[in-house]
Every structure is written in C-alpha cells, then in structure tokens.
Amino acid sequence: MRFIWTVAWRLLREGRFQTALILGGVTVGVAVVVYITAIVNGLQANIIDRTLSAQAHVVLRPAERLNQRGSEPGDVLTLADVRKRTQREATVADAATVLATVRAVPGVAAAAALAAGPGVAQQGGVRKAVVLLGVDLAGYQQVIRLDDKLREGVLALPAGAALIGSELAADLGLSPGSRLRLQSAQGETLSVRVAGVLDYGIQDLNRRRVLLPLRDAQSLLGLGLDVTEIDVRAERLFEAEALAADLHRATGLAADSWQVANGQLVTALRSQSASSLMIRVFVTVAVALGIASVLVVSVVQRQREIGILRAMGTPRQRILGVFLLQGALVGFGGSLLGAGLGGALAVGFTRLARNADGTPLFPIVLQAELFVSTALLATAVGVLAAWLPALRAARLDPVEAIRG
Amino acid sequence: MAEVMRLQGVRKAYGGGASPLVEVLHGIDLTLPEQAFAALVGPSGSGKSTLLNLIGLLELPTAGEIWLAGEPVHAATDTVRTALRNRYLGFVFQFHHLLPAFTAEENVLMPVLAGRGSVTSDDRRRARALLERTGLGTHAHKRPVQLSGGQQQRVAIVRALMNRPRLVLADEPTGNLDSHTALDVFALLRELNREEGTAFLIVTHDPALAARCERRIAIRDGRLID
C-alpha cells in the first residue's frame, strides 16, 4: 500500500534523531546477538570437532553380564545383590553379521569392528602400558578420520605393522621403520614394525594408542575371531543418542553415544547454549522495549498530524499500518547494520584472540543462515514492538488529536 | 436547490456516568444547500466547534438526525464516517496543519492517498492545476516550513478541495493571518466556491468576513439564533 509506505518512510526520515536512536538500539542489539551466536557456535563446533576427531559417535559393546541371584528359602530376603562379573568373555562373536545389522540401521554412516585390549610396548628395555586396537584400516577410517592425524610415515596396516601415537613414539624413540615389541595381558607377544606416527590431538591417545591389523590384535589378545566393540559414525552428529537406542534395539549390544561418553562436555555445552540463549532473549526484549518506547513518543508527538490524516478520511488500519511498517523498517534496517557490526566484531575477535603460534583460537562460524534468521527476527520484533504505539495511533480520536 | 447537509433536532451532550451530563447543543435544525457559502458565528463556548465536529462526522450526535448528501450519518460506524469524510468533506483548520514531512503538492494529494492508498497521474494534474490556480505553482515542491503563513493556508485550502468534496468546513481559516492576507484568503475561498461548485461553511470571529458570506448562521448557548 503506497500510503503506508510513503507516510511511514517520510515520518522516519523526518524524525531523524528518533530514527537514529531506534536504529542505533536495534543495531547494537543485533550486533550482540550475531557476535555471541558466532562466537559460541564457533567455540562449540571447535570443541565438538576436537573431541570427536578420535572418537566414534556411537560405540557398541557386549552388554554387561550381571549375577542374578536366585530366590532362596529362608527368613532373610535379599532383594538385590548385584555384582559385576569379570568381563573376560564379553566379546562379540559374529562380527560380520552384527556389522551388517548395524549398517542397515537408518542414520548409520559407517561402522567398523575393533578388537581392543591392554598391552605393553617394549623397546630397548623401556616398557609402556598401551591400548592395543585392532582395526580393519579402510573400514575404521570411515568411522574415524586418520589422514589428518598422520605426522610421519604412511597410513597403512599390513600384517606385522603398527600405527602408534606421537608421544609413545617420542617416549620409546620410535620412527617409521622401527621395530617394536608388543605384549598383551594374556602373555602373547608380537614384534611389529612402525608404519606411521599419529597425532590424535589428545595426550592420552598419543601416549597409549597402538593401531594394529585386526587379525594381529585378535591373536595377541587371544580373542580368536571375536571383536570387542563396534564403532559407528552417525549421519547426524546430534542424533547420536537416538541412534544409540536404535542400535541397542537392533543388536542387543550396549550402545553408548558420544554424548554419554562425554557427559560433562555435553552438560557444559548445553549450559553454554542456554546462557547464550538467555542473553539473546534479553537483548531482543530490550531492543523491543526500545523500539516501542521511541515509537510511543513519536505517536504522541505526531498526534495532531495523525488527527488531520484521520479527519481527511484515512482509515484506522492505514494509520496502524504506518506505525507497524515503521517498526518493521527500523527492525530490518537495524538488523542489516547490526549483522555487519556483529560480523566485524566476531572477525576482529579471531584476529585478536590467537594461540601462541598465531593461529586463531577457534574458527568463527558466520553462516548466511544466522544473518537471515537475525534479520527476520529483528523485523518481526520491530513489528511486534510497534503494535502498542500503532494501536494507540490508530485509536486516536481525531477531534482530541487536532485540539492537541 | 438540493441540500448537501441537513440536521434535524440534533442534540449533543458530554459526560454521563460519574460526571454530570452536560448538553452542549439543544436541538439544532439546519440545512445547507449545495454550493452554499455560509458563515457560522458565535462566542466561545456557544457550541460552535461541537456543531462543526458533528457536521464534519468527527463526532456522533446524542440525539437527532444528520444527513450528508442524502445519506443518514447520525449512527454510522467510524469506518463508514471515515470513508464519507474522505469522499464528501474537506477540512481547513485555523492552524493549517500541513504535514511537515511532505511537499506542498504531496500535502494536496494526501486526501487521495489516504482514501485510495495510491494516486494517479490525473490526481497529480489536478493537484498541480489547483496549486497554479491559487498562485502556488512555483511552490509545489517546497516544504511547509519554506512557505509563508498565507501560502500554507492556501495549500491547506487546495488540499481540502482535492477530492472534489460537496462541503468544505473551515474553522477560522483566517484567524491566524494578518488582515490583508486574511482578506486575500477569504476572497480565494469565495472564488473557489463558485468555480468548484463546493459548499463552504466557515467558522469566523470576524463580523466583516461573516458579512461577506451569502448566509450567516449564528449560534449561542447551543441554539441557532436568527
């Protein structure tokens, strides 16, 4: 409607000071929202990325076996006496069938069988406790990315080869081509050649993890053809919990999602998201109140003009539309300015906050989606905030408005 | 001659409820023929403004009937009265009340824009012709603050005529102007009354101006007097 556009635009242009005030408020508010969202999203994506780079989204293990106490005749009834049994025999016997079942579950991107167990690495009289991890390298890489972790050597696991963590390599003075003696808790030993050195970005893994071909690990750990766990990569990271439940139902194995395995991290991320949401909500409310209060003043100041417009036959809805559109315009305009300012602040932050080596602490996530949703939200908030002033303007009695 | 406006037994009271009911108009009967050029005179507090507001469909009477261009309007809804004001009536106020954010020409076009939501090139031509007719052709793109008081009031008069109303209500249109300019503006009203065929009802305090009108309607204590 041209009347509404023309009048709304002219009134905004005419009331320069008020318009600047409102625009400034919306700009700052939107900038805060964009900045906080970008920083928090960047931080969280970075933390999750680092955490999950060496972890499966869902890990399937044999269900724990519990002692079931049969009921006994007698005076004393023990309701429960549940103790863990040793988990020695807790293995998955039919890995191929289970893998096929797992891969058929919707939401599973990839799955790999592992044979894991404790062991000791020896080299020149130095002994280090390690975790022996037998994998089919091709299948395992579909679950855990390794090519970005290779520091030295090659990413290959022929029989008799091993891929070791970078700290273990340093501790034992190993480099690709070195030989290494592995001993399992079962007493089996195996001499392997280091094919490559991996940096997982996590000290514990760098110090302890030894990747072996699945067959080598199985014989070293005395597992026969059994495996000890199935690692799964989910198609959607944040649906891993639901996927774990589905996998448990499908296989009968205990299924733990990365969220369960990293409970504290997930709690921390959730509370961070919650507080960033709170900040955004309160900033939005403050912006809405700002828009509303300036528009209320504007309506009072222009009440005589509104009265004249009503007297000459302007329908109430058109007056209402003028002020709602003003709210939408300042919301939209402020969101454009604010998105620019917030984006610039976030980029500036990554320039300032750097690691010792000069790389950014974490990458900022500036998605077009964030800008679009913020612009829509700010426009909607502008319209909502303008409701009260607009209603007030539309309900003005022309006689009283003109009398002033 | 056909009538543009008729009032029958119109009463208007304010208050009620907790405050005492005060009747301001006590039964007004008045007929304005088309193309009339009438003055409405009366002291302050005589009910003059209330009568003008009722005729202007800005207020509703407590009792009685009001007919505008043959339509009963004494019980019309706000929406209907708003549309009727836009179509049949023009307003000129003492303090011209132009919209400062708009140029003279845009102010003149405002009744069209307000009523229909948009303007055509025909509307622009009429606005321009009216401004030229009143000697404001060169001021069409000026803002109200750039115009003198007399010029502003002429823009307001042209604005009132833009929609070809049947009746223009002018509330002390010259009250704010010096006597020379006041005479000019008054003369312009008279000329436009003849050229456009629009009826005028002019509230004035000035007996000399009232005497120049075809008809003088006097009101005192809420009653018309002869």
Side-chain angles (χ1 to χ4, degrees), chain A residues 276-289:
Chain A
S276 107
L277 179 66
M278 288 290 273
I279 293 174
R280 281 182 280 171
V281 166
F282 281 115
V283 167
T284 307
V285 169
V287 166
L289 291 177

Side-chain angles (χ1 to χ4, degrees), chain B residues 20 50 77 79 87 92 106 142 172 187 193 222:
Chain B
T50 303
T77 63
T79 309
R87 192 162 143 210
V92 181
E106 288 163 342
K142 286 185 180 167
E172 310 241 15
N193 163 243

